Amino acid sequence: MTIIIEQPQFDAAAERKVAGDPAELVLDGGFTVPDSNAFGHTFRDYDAESERKKTVEEFYSVNHINQTYEFVQRMRDAYGRLDKTEMSIWECIELLNEFIDDSDPDLDMPQIEHLLQTAEAIRKDYPDEDWLHLTGLIHDLGKVLLHPSFGELPQWAVVGDTFPVGCAFDECNVHSKYFKENPDYHNPEFNTKFGAYSEGCGLDKVLMSWGHDDYMYLVAKENKTTLPSAGLFIIRYHSFYRKPLHKHGAYTHLMNEEDKENLKWLHVFNKYDLYSKSSIRIDVEEVKPYYMSLIDKYFPGKLRW
């Protein structure tokens, strides 16, 4: 997300800079990670004995078996046309009220709650980075793929941690044992370290497992958003970063220099994405005018989806 490198370790004190320009990185905005999630367990613990454990593991078993190189190509071709409907960003946000993410071990509330919690937590710590506030609000909008008007795709084709397809599946991916049943696992064209790719090719040349991340990236890009490249990178790879890339440095051999720079902003973003989840509700009508102003700044009124 070039040459194999060690996963960068970010020293918040050493790299804190003045905010204002997306190129100027502020790694520590002051956010404190809670001790436990909404269920009283450690965040992102896929093995914790909770009411969510069985649902989450069943999700990843189906996801890992079915996310093949051919499947991703087919989905990108079909949904990349953006011919399903036209609607505004906020209309899309309201559609997400109907869905709960089966892959998430930390929260079982409608998606609009997560979007606003993420955006508001970022806004508090990074008041001058309005592009990052908006990125927090819209990063999961691709989950509208679950809606009947978008084909009502199954959850395994929409949510969950993402990973490259077309090369060997890394064992540090969540519930990696299920990859052994994926047809690409036994395909010599795709089951080597580089597979269909080359060293340092850049993540934009790599097919990721299909889901809401890649779809929302396509929507934003093709509708000519003026978000900075770091915002688009966050939208496209926020579900890839969590375990393999951040914790284990997997797949860094596919990254180029631009990826490495944008990864620093993804590092900032993901603690808000992962750890701002709670049972505390946000007053939607109170914060809506602010986010509407950001939508108008960075997006057209109606988008093709």
Side-chain angles (χ1 to χ4, degrees):
M1 263 208 342
T2 94
I3 299 169
I4 299 177
I5 60 171
E6 293 183 0
Q7 171 63 23
Q9 299 298 314
F10 302 110
D11 184 329
E15 295 206 35
R16 186 177 178 85
K17 299 180 181 179
V18 177
D21 182 335
E24 295 298 309
L25 182 60
V26 181
L27 284 170
D28 183 8
F31 181 75
T32 301
V33 176
D35 293 330
S36 60
N37 63 21
F39 302 103
H41 301 291
T42 304
F43 278 91
R44 312 311 294 179
D45 187 345
Y46 293 90
D47 297 315
E49 292 297 335
S50 75
E51 58 191 88
R52 299 285 288 163
K53 179 183 178 182
K54 183 178 180 180
T55 297
V56 172
E57 182 162 358
E58 288 176 349
F59 163 87
Y60 277 107
S61 68
V62 180
N63 172 276
H64 290 355
I65 292 169
N66 288 285
Q67 289 276 1
T68 64
Y69 189 84
E70 184 276 332
F71 172 77
V72 173
Q73 285 185 315
R74 182 155 41 88
M75 291 296 101
R76 286 192 114 236
D77 288 344
Y79 285 91
R81 301 187 190 111
L82 303 182
D83 58 359
K84 304 304 179 188
T85 190
E86 288 191 5
M87 63 179 169
S88 68
I89 290 284
W90 198 266
E91 287 173 324
C92 184
I93 290 172
E94 291 178 335
L95 279 182
L96 292 186
N97 260 333
E98 302 176 27
F99 303 112
I100 293 172
D101 186 340
D102 281 348
S103 73
D104 193 338
D106 298 322
L107 194 67
D108 61 354
M109 296 173 67
Q111 286 298 295
I112 193 170
E113 300 292 334
H114 167 54
L115 298 180
L116 288 171
Q117 287 172 353
T118 302
E120 284 293 280
I122 293 172
R123 182 183 176 189
K124 177 178 179 293
D125 289 350
Y126 295 85
D128 299 322
E129 309 288 356
D130 67 356
W131 67 272
L132 194 57
H133 310 167
L134 182 58
T135 300
L137 181 73
I138 70 170
H139 73 283
D140 275 350
L141 291 193
K143 291 179 182 179
V144 295
L145 292 173
L146 297 166
H147 197 273
S149 61
F150 285 79
E152 200 168 9
L153 291 183
Q155 292 235 355
W156 64 263
V158 180
V159 300
D161 287 8
T162 58
F163 46 87
V165 296
C167 60
F169 301 114
D170 197 283
E171 291 184 357
C172 67
N173 285 297
V174 174
H175 294 304
S176 62
K177 61 186 178 182
Y178 295 110
F179 284 126
K180 294 180 180 179
E181 298 178 59
N182 184 305
D184 289 354
Y185 185 88
H186 304 284
N187 186 338
E189 184 179 356
F190 299 137
N191 64 6
T192 62
K193 179 178 180 179
F194 292 103
Y197 315 112
S198 60
E199 190 167 10
C201 62
L203 292 181
D204 62 325
K205 302 290 195 302
V206 175
L207 286 186
M208 302 295 294
S209 54
W210 175 251
H212 71 281
D213 307 59
D214 205 24
Y215 178 59
M216 188 58 203
Y217 164 77
L218 293 173
V219 170
K221 180 184 177 184
E222 297 305 318
N223 281 282
K224 310 300 183 185
T225 182
T226 55
L227 284 172
S229 63
L232 288 172
F233 189 91
I234 288 169
I235 291 170
R236 195 175 194 182
Y237 301 113
H238 66 273
S239 301
F240 174 40
Y241 165 92
R242 294 170 182 167
K243 186 174 180 180
L245 190 62
H246 173 52
K247 289 188 177 181
H248 300 280
Y251 303 110
T252 53
H253 54 283
L254 300 175
M255 293 171 63
N256 60 24
E257 293 303 318
E258 183 179 3
D259 293 330
K260 295 172 193 174
E261 287 303 308
N262 283 330
L263 179 61
K264 295 176 182 179
W265 274 112
L266 184 55
H267 176 88
V268 170
F269 175 83
N270 267 267
K271 64 182 177 181
Y272 296 93
D273 181 18
L274 300 183
Y275 305 126
S276 65
K277 299 169 186 175
S278 73
S279 57
I280 299 174
R281 309 296 290 269
I282 291 175
D283 187 332
V284 177
E285 294 308 312
E286 180 181 345
V287 301
K288 182 177 178 179
Y290 173 69
Y291 289 105
M292 289 298 293
S293 72
L294 297 189
I295 292 168
D296 291 341
K297 179 178 178 179
Y298 289 102
F299 282 92
K302 292 284 186 179
L303 281 68
R304 293 181 298 114
W305 300 77

